[in-house]
Amino acid sequence: MPVYKMYIDGKWIGADETFETINPTTEKIIAKFPKGKDKHVKMAVGAAEDAYKKWSETPPPTRGRLLQNIADLLRKDKQRLGRLVSTEMGKVLPEALGDVQEAIDVFEYMAGEGRRLFGHTTTSELRNKFSMTIRMPVGIMGLISPWNFPIAIPAWKIAPALVCGNTVVFKPSSDTPLCAYELVKILEKAGVPPGVVNFVTGSASDVGEAIVKHPKIHGLSFTGSKFTGEWIVKNAGLKKVGLELGGKNPIIVMDDADLSLAVDGILWGAFGTAGQRCTAASRVIVHKKVKEKLLAALVQRTKKLRLGNPLLKTTDVGPLINKKAQEKTARYVEIGKKEGAKMLCGGKKAFGRGFFHQPTIFTSVTNDMHIAQEEIFGPILSVLEFDRLDDAIEMANDIEYGLSSSIYTKDVSNGFRAVQKIEAGLTYINSSTIGSEVHLPFGGIKGTGHTREAGITGIDEFSYLKTVYVDYSGKLQKAQID
Ligand code: NAD
């Protein structure tokens, strides 16, 4: 059994104890990783501190060039890495390759930022005085990632953090440390200097909490559950904190919608990645007039989805990440039944081995039910009905989260009404709730957190603006007074 290492100050190091990473399809152990402790976080922060001066003073275009090298190496290794994502995380191969592609895209996009990192210039109320803003690195940043995009999400954080001149301590999810390790290996190969990226594996309580509380870490970028996000907010002190949390994302289907297009989008949104996306479409809010027709087509297509080994071309839906996730999904099936929702298909764990669960659809769901309100993070879809768009929007909004949303309609007025009224960071028209592109802002509102990663706003998360005044009048000038 291979035993991998952590990466601190440019050296690969182990720990006294290890934990295992498991293939969710076979339940077999793939590899062992060091159980990092508080002392490793301290070492990593020390290394990041030592590396900070030189790295933050490296010209941004040079930092950008390094990111381009990383993108190139990732591209060369895309097939191997994609297979690894499927093996360790369980998403089907085309999606796993998309995960790697997203990492390539974000490194490329952020490489270009090396020649931008724009501040702005503006006027002054005084003569012979110049005003502008410039971008500064936050300092040492703690990056904490989940398992569902095991290469893309770390990349979404590492790329902007580095181009802005930060040094980082990175903790991956303990469900997918091998994907994270391979990414760090590529960073090393591309020439990231020692101490600039430090990789510490281990539990949330030993490593994660130590990062959150470390006084020398200036900023945190966290993607994960609302529960953990809330804990972080309470314990991070005055650090700059970015939070990308959960979702319970609705698709509204109007009576004038192209139903076959809507069915495609719902299937992709609800059961892609076995429902384990923060942007997964876990609620469909459908107009009464077209509900039966939509459901008939949806159930028929859902029953045809093939569960299995995510590496095979014949597979549509892979396993859930672990036993706990499989049990949570099964628990919500029971909750849905008890609440009086009607199950139209699915509802069972599948196969004897692997953490599979059948794609499941509940109808007769009302918005007060647990299955309509809580993030299940599995292949369960709740269907609600409406007869006025305003009611549909009200249902869409009556939720603690606010990440993604979608409406299927041929009427441009309905589409724009939804765009204006739905409380979410993303609204799609005639497309599913998933499919973000790296040059556009990504994030939510309400219980999803208020961060905007990716695109130009991604830079805001990993830098701060310094306001600079240059007075060349040669005399004391007083704003608001002179
Ligand atoms: P999680 O919150 O359990 O864990 C995420 C990471 O935080 C892991 O690395 C974990 O070890 C660490 N962690 C847990 N408790 C911690 C603590 N107290 N202090 C520091 N670190 C801690 O989430 P998960 O199960 O890995 O991921 C699934 C969740 O992530 C879902 O809610 C999903 O919606 C969300 N997610 C959000 C986005 C987004 O961009 N909004 C993207 C992907 C996933």
Side-chain angles (χ1 to χ4, degrees), residues 144-149 153 171-174 203-204 208-209 212 222-226 228 231-232 244-247 277-278 375 377 403 442 448:
I144 302 178
S145 62
W147 45 266
N148 66 334
F149 281 82
I153 290 180
K171 177 214 169 321
S173 164
S174 297
S203 72
E209 295 190 8
V212 171
F222 170 77
T223 301
S225 65
K226 179 168 169 283
T228 309
W231 186 89
I232 288 176
E244 294 276 8
L245 311 177
R277 286 184 182 229
C278 51
E375 187 187 46
F377 227 54
L403 181 51
F442 178 90
T448 300

Side-chain angles (χ1 to χ4, degrees), residues 429-440:
I429 299 179
N430 292 330
S431 178
S432 193
T433 49
I434 59 189
S436 289
E437 301 179 29
V438 303
H439 55 295
L440 283 136

